[in-house]
Amino acid sequence: MTPRREKRRRELLDAARDIFAEKGFVAATVDDIVGRTGVARGTFYLYFDDKLQVFGELVSDFFARVAGSIRPIELGAGAPTPREQLRANLGRVVSLCLAEPGNVKIAFSTAFGVDAALDERLASFYASLHTFMDETLETGQRIGLIRAGDRRLMVSIAIGGFEQLLQDAVSGAVPSDEAELVDALMAFLESGLLV
Amino acid sequence: MTPRREKRRRELLDAARDIFAEKGFVAATVDDIVGRTGVARGTFYLYFDDKLQVFGELVSDFFARVAGSIRPIELGAGAPTPREQLRANLGRVVSLCLAEPGNVKIAFSTAFGVDAALDERLASFYASLHTFMDETLETGQRIGLIRAGDRRLMVSIAIGGFEQLLQDAVSGAVPSDEAELVDALMAFLESGLLV
Amino acid sequence: MTPRREKRRRELLDAARDIFAEKGFVAATVDDIVGRTGVARGTFYLYFDDKLQVFGELVSDFFARVAGSIRPIELGAGAPTPREQLRANLGRVVSLCLAEPGNVKIAFSTAFGVDAALDERLASFYASLHTFMDETLETGQRIGLIRAGDRRLMVSIAIGGFEQLLQDAVSGAVPSDEAELVDALMAFLESGLLV
Amino acid sequence: MTPRREKRRRELLDAARDIFAEKGFVAATVDDIVGRTGVARGTFYLYFDDKLQVFGELVSDFFARVAGSIRPIELGAGAPTPREQLRANLGRVVSLCLAEPGNVKIAFSTAFGVDAALDERLASFYASLHTFMDETLETGQRIGLIRAGDRRLMVSIAIGGFEQLLQDAVSGAVPSDEAELVDALMAFLESGLLV
DNA sequence: CATGAATGAGTATTCATTCAT
DNA sequence: AATGAATGAATACTCATTCAT
């Protein structure tokens, strides 16, 4: 891959991310993407097989980056408290998401059910996310950091709350100050809503 | 509106709900809907202006029913405790949602960004939901039932967690026992995840 | 199938036959076909799945009609001589082909190798034609009407000569008088070219 | 033309012949051709004006080689009999064709009607072939070697039978033994099919 | 009321050909 | 000479919506 090719490919991916975020996967046309990039229609197909591949690549990259920003909780003697480590993880993910609002919109609010291949890809991401969370919670329960309860339900609620908050933050529905968001999430995890 | 007309309209709405739930708004075709109903294509347009109107009506009805199942928390002397009333409200909504999985799929997981008019309609539903929740939380904070914190963020997290749990329940990703779901939600609201 | 539908379908088939004959399968566009028929583009797809289906139907029908015009040689006492029956068969096929020049062009000179599905269809027609001819020649050899020789080679040469003559006749390269064509074919079958 | 250039040109022609034979003129892409040759796309256009020119050159060369392998029948005293000369001519053409199956496929079974310019080129080849055959038959009739009859029809049938046999031979539909093919053709020319 | 035939705008994708490097 | 990135015209097919019957 020559640098030139790399650059053009990057331009197309960036344009695609913006367009997908604005219009959604179905409504976005290849014409929109090449139009924003300023290249001809055929050029798109020199870099990607089809619309779905670009989408998949964007989502894959983003999820990989999110996953990469999470550090496993260390329980060793000199390590920060688990709560501090948890807060640090939340901070990194929130920070990354606030920096890439387009990817948040794409990854979290694109329709399931529009394209079978797309569905499968999204489903596999969520499946591995759930597995990871479940294992983490299991450890937490064992060491007495996480309360008892059906982990699948806990994971479902936690992921939903987290994603919704981020979606609302990047869409402007709620304030998007990183510290505030992390505080709100921590407070929820610490004590729920009720006094 | 004659009873006959009413019945036909109902059949079309039911078919549309199933199709939308299976394929999503965009992928669902008017052909699918009339095909399932057993009427001709043109008939659809005798009852609805267009595809979007049917969708909007389904979502409107469902949201109205959800809203109708929620009773304001009463603080009077002879009333049950606020926690009991909250649990009862959660129970009614969960029960309603489990009874109408198709509507849950439609209302909670349909993509924003696919159709501008659709977006607006969904946004207005969520806006009023948020307003209602915000007011409820405000009351709760005043009487010392809800902890302090930015209500918008609390609402965002709570709604997200609630919707995700219901989506996962109707899609089979998590168990769909009403009591378990309500317990899990109450536990989250009572004490979050951490010990 | 209503009469109206039947008629429209017929119109499209007729237009398609003419267009295919003029431009060939690949160069012919659906636009050409609907343009000649005077209907909208989408209408085409109400009657046929795709371009290939129309082509296949035209070729199928024509080959079926050709096959139907051939009567097995009867050897009974009161029957005309085999030579007379052969000549009559040739006459019927030639007559049919001269009456449908478009179908002759389509059926005999459309490219193999353009579309895999198309190839298969054409190949199966030719396979059954070869089988039929081979069996006929076998009978002929047994009763002493056909000279000895590798039947596959004889069939190949005979079919090739026959088709080429018909193609040239409908394209105007050679005279297209039915009796003359039949005479020429009979003469070839009777005694070849050499004295 | 440097030897290097000549060699590169030859490589492209060889690749083109194979690709055309495999896929047909329309389905064959310039990409296929340069891909097999191992050069870049642009290089193709340094050697040929366009796809059609390559095709035309392949067909021209082949037809020229076929024509060159045919020796006029000599009637002199010491010459072999006309039948022997005819058989020798058939043998040379059959031999050449069996040695170049790709060219046979290209030359004999490429669709008319796909490309106007292509049509014209093919038509002119066939026109000169017909003229040559017609003149040859005329001589044959004058010297009593060829029976009476409309020469155009005789040529049409003979060419069609000959080409079909060769096509079937190179495609594997019939045995491709040179002697057998020549025998079958001679037998047909000598006495047709009927006893 | 109901039908279903017809419409036509809209979109992904291919590929021969050009041209800057 | 050679490269290969870029172009953009061309085309099959879908589907919401209309309307004559």
Side-chain angles (χ1 to χ4, degrees):
Chain A
M1 177 97 64
T2 68
R4 176 176 185 178
R5 238 186 111 73
E6 190 66 38
K7 177 166 163 287
R8 183 46 57 85
R9 189 181 163 81
R10 191 67 250 161
E11 287 171 0
L12 284 165
L13 278 169
D14 287 344
R17 187 198 52 227
D18 293 348
I19 299 286
F20 284 143
E22 283 167 24
K23 305 186 143 192
F25 178 75
V26 189
T29 69
V30 174
D31 248 33
D32 292 333
I33 298 171
V34 298
R36 176 153 314 188
T37 311
V39 299
R41 202 161 313 160
T43 304
F44 178 88
Y45 291 94
L46 295 176
Y47 292 88
F48 306 100
D49 289 339
D50 50 32
K51 216 174 81 171
L52 185 59
Q53 194 203 332
V54 190
F55 185 85
E57 194 156 326
L58 287 169
V59 176
S60 293
D61 282 0
F62 180 62
F63 271 71
R65 230 123 23 75
V66 169
S69 73
I70 299 176
R71 308 242 197 298
I73 308 289
E74 295 197 7
L75 303 175
T81 67
R83 267 182 173 73
E84 282 168 347
Q85 292 183 53
L86 170 59
R87 165 181 286 273
N89 273 327
L90 286 177
R92 278 188 295 269
V93 175
V94 168
S95 172
L96 193 159
C97 288
L98 291 179
E100 305 184 20
N103 280 327
V104 171
K105 286 186 181 167
I106 289 177
F108 295 154
S109 76
T110 294
F112 273 83
V114 175
D115 179 291
L118 177 61
D119 277 7
E120 218 169 310
R121 190 179 279 270
L122 292 171
S124 83
F125 283 127
Y126 276 95
S128 49
L129 177 58
H130 274 251
T131 301
F132 170 79
M133 292 277 295
D134 203 278
E135 288 167 356
T136 303
L137 286 193
E138 188 181 14
T139 306
Q141 286 179 326
R142 214 172 38 232
I143 65 173
L145 182 67
I146 301 291
R147 67 167 168 78
D150 185 320
R151 286 192 302 276
R152 285 167 305 178
L153 305 185
M154 292 159 83
V155 166
S156 183
I157 296 171
I159 289 179
F162 186 79
E163 285 188 2
Q164 187 67 55
L165 184 67
L166 284 169
Q167 279 187 62
D168 287 346
V170 303
S171 75
V174 303
S176 57
D177 178 78
E178 184 186 323
E180 277 183 56
L181 296 176
V182 173
D183 285 344
L185 287 165
M186 279 303 290
F188 222 112
L189 294 177
E190 295 265 14
S191 50
L193 280 187
L194 305 178
V195 172
Chain B
M1 174 102 60
T2 69
R4 175 176 163 71
R5 204 176 147 75
E6 190 64 38
K7 177 163 164 290
R8 179 52 56 87
R9 189 182 163 81
R10 190 67 250 159
E11 287 170 358
L12 283 165
L13 279 169
D14 287 344
R17 187 200 52 228
D18 293 348
I19 300 286
F20 285 143
E22 282 167 25
K23 305 184 145 192
F25 179 74
V26 190
T29 70
V30 173
D31 240 35
D32 291 331
I33 297 170
V34 298
R36 178 156 313 191
T37 311
V39 300
R41 227 195 303 276
T43 304
F44 178 89
Y45 290 91
L46 298 175
Y47 292 87
F48 305 99
D49 289 339
D50 51 32
K51 210 173 88 171
L52 184 60
Q53 194 203 333
V54 189
F55 185 85
E57 195 156 325
L58 287 169
V59 176
S60 293
D61 282 1
F62 179 62
F63 272 71
R65 228 125 21 76
V66 170
S69 73
I70 298 175
R71 307 245 197 297
I73 308 289
E74 295 197 7
L75 302 175
T81 67
R83 267 183 173 73
E84 282 168 348
Q85 292 183 54
L86 171 59
R87 166 181 286 273
N89 273 327
L90 286 177
R92 278 188 295 269
V93 176
V94 168
S95 171
L96 193 158
C97 287
L98 292 179
E100 305 185 20
N103 280 327
V104 172
K105 285 185 181 167
I106 289 176
F108 295 155
S109 75
T110 296
F112 276 82
V114 175
D115 180 291
L118 177 62
D119 278 6
E120 219 168 311
R121 189 177 279 271
L122 291 171
S124 82
F125 284 127
Y126 276 94
S128 50
L129 177 58
H130 275 251
T131 300
F132 170 79
M133 292 276 296
D134 203 278
E135 289 165 355
T136 304
L137 286 195
E138 188 180 13
T139 306
Q141 286 179 325
R142 214 169 41 233
I143 65 173
L145 183 66
I146 301 291
R147 66 167 167 79
D150 184 321
R151 286 191 303 278
R152 285 168 305 179
L153 304 186
M154 292 159 83
V155 166
S156 183
I157 297 171
I159 290 179
F162 186 78
E163 286 188 1
Q164 187 68 54
L165 184 66
L166 284 169
Q167 279 186 63
D168 287 346
V170 303
S171 76
V174 303
S176 57
D177 178 79
E178 185 186 323
E180 276 182 55
L181 295 177
V182 174
D183 285 345
L185 287 165
M186 279 303 291
F188 222 113
L189 294 176
E190 296 265 14
S191 50
L193 281 187
L194 304 178
V195 173
Chain C
M1 176 98 63
T2 67
R4 174 177 185 177
R5 238 186 110 72
E6 191 66 39
K7 179 165 162 287
R8 181 47 56 84
R9 189 182 164 81
R10 191 67 250 161
E11 287 170 0
L12 283 164
L13 278 169
D14 286 345
R17 188 199 51 227
D18 293 348
I19 299 287
F20 285 143
E22 283 168 24
K23 304 186 144 193
F25 178 75
V26 189
T29 69
V30 173
D31 248 34
D32 291 333
I33 297 170
V34 297
R36 176 155 312 189
T37 312
V39 300
R41 202 161 313 160
T43 304
F44 178 88
Y45 293 93
L46 295 176
Y47 292 87
F48 306 99
D49 288 339
D50 51 31
K51 216 173 82 171
L52 186 59
Q53 195 203 331
V54 191
F55 185 84
E57 195 156 325
L58 287 168
V59 176
S60 293
D61 282 0
F62 179 62
F63 271 71
R65 231 124 22 74
V66 169
S69 73
I70 299 174
R71 308 243 198 295
I73 307 289
E74 296 197 8
L75 303 174
T81 68
R83 267 183 173 72
E84 282 167 347
Q85 292 183 55
L86 170 59
R87 165 181 286 272
N89 272 328
L90 286 176
R92 278 188 295 269
V93 176
V94 168
S95 171
L96 192 159
C97 287
L98 291 178
E100 307 184 19
N103 279 327
V104 171
K105 286 186 181 166
I106 289 177
F108 294 155
S109 77
T110 293
F112 273 84
V114 175
D115 179 289
L118 177 61
D119 277 7
E120 218 167 312
R121 190 179 279 271
L122 292 171
S124 83
F125 282 128
Y126 277 95
S128 49
L129 177 59
H130 274 251
T131 301
F132 170 79
M133 292 276 296
D134 202 278
E135 288 166 356
T136 303
L137 286 193
E138 189 181 14
T139 306
Q141 286 178 327
R142 213 170 41 233
I143 65 174
L145 183 67
I146 301 291
R147 66 166 167 81
D150 185 320
R151 286 192 302 276
R152 284 168 305 177
L153 305 185
M154 292 159 83
V155 166
S156 183
I157 297 171
I159 289 178
F162 186 79
E163 286 188 2
Q164 187 67 54
L165 184 67
L166 284 169
Q167 279 187 63
D168 287 346
V170 302
S171 76
V174 304
S176 57
D177 178 77
E178 183 186 325
E180 276 182 55
L181 295 176
V182 174
D183 285 346
L185 286 165
M186 279 302 291
F188 222 113
L189 294 177
E190 295 266 13
S191 51
L193 280 188
L194 304 178
V195 173
Chain D
M1 174 103 59
T2 68
R4 176 175 163 72
R5 206 177 147 74
E6 190 64 39
K7 177 164 165 288
R8 179 53 55 87
R9 189 181 164 82
R10 190 66 250 160
E11 287 170 0
L12 283 165
L13 279 169
D14 286 345
R17 185 199 53 227
D18 293 348
I19 300 287
F20 284 144
E22 282 167 24
K23 304 184 145 192
F25 179 74
V26 189
T29 69
V30 174
D31 240 35
D32 291 332
I33 297 170
V34 297
R36 178 157 311 190
T37 310
V39 300
R41 227 195 300 278
T43 304
F44 178 89
Y45 291 90
L46 297 176
Y47 292 87
F48 306 98
D49 289 340
D50 52 31
K51 211 173 88 171
L52 185 60
Q53 194 203 333
V54 189
F55 185 85
E57 195 156 325
L58 287 169
V59 176
S60 293
D61 282 1
F62 179 62
F63 272 70
R65 229 126 20 77
V66 169
S69 74
I70 299 175
R71 308 245 196 295
I73 307 289
E74 296 199 7
L75 303 175
T81 67
R83 268 184 173 71
E84 282 166 346
Q85 292 183 54
L86 170 60
R87 165 181 286 270
N89 273 327
L90 286 177
R92 276 187 297 270
V93 176
V94 168
S95 172
L96 193 159
C97 287
L98 290 179
E100 306 184 18
N103 280 326
V104 171
K105 285 186 181 167
I106 289 177
F108 295 155
S109 76
T110 295
F112 273 84
V114 175
D115 180 292
L118 177 62
D119 278 6
E120 218 168 310
R121 188 176 279 270
L122 291 171
S124 82
F125 283 126
Y126 276 94
S128 49
L129 177 59
H130 275 252
T131 301
F132 170 78
M133 292 277 295
D134 202 278
E135 288 166 355
T136 302
L137 286 194
E138 189 180 13
T139 305
Q141 286 179 326
R142 214 170 40 234
I143 66 174
L145 182 66
I146 302 291
R147 67 167 166 78
D150 184 321
R151 285 191 303 277
R152 285 167 304 176
L153 304 185
M154 292 159 83
V155 165
S156 183
I157 297 170
I159 290 179
F162 186 79
E163 286 188 0
Q164 188 68 53
L165 185 66
L166 284 169
Q167 280 186 62
D168 287 346
V170 302
S171 76
V174 303
S176 56
D177 178 79
E178 184 186 322
E180 277 183 53
L181 295 176
V182 173
D183 285 346
L185 286 165
M186 279 303 291
F188 222 113
L189 293 177
E190 295 266 14
S191 51
L193 281 187
L194 304 178
V195 173

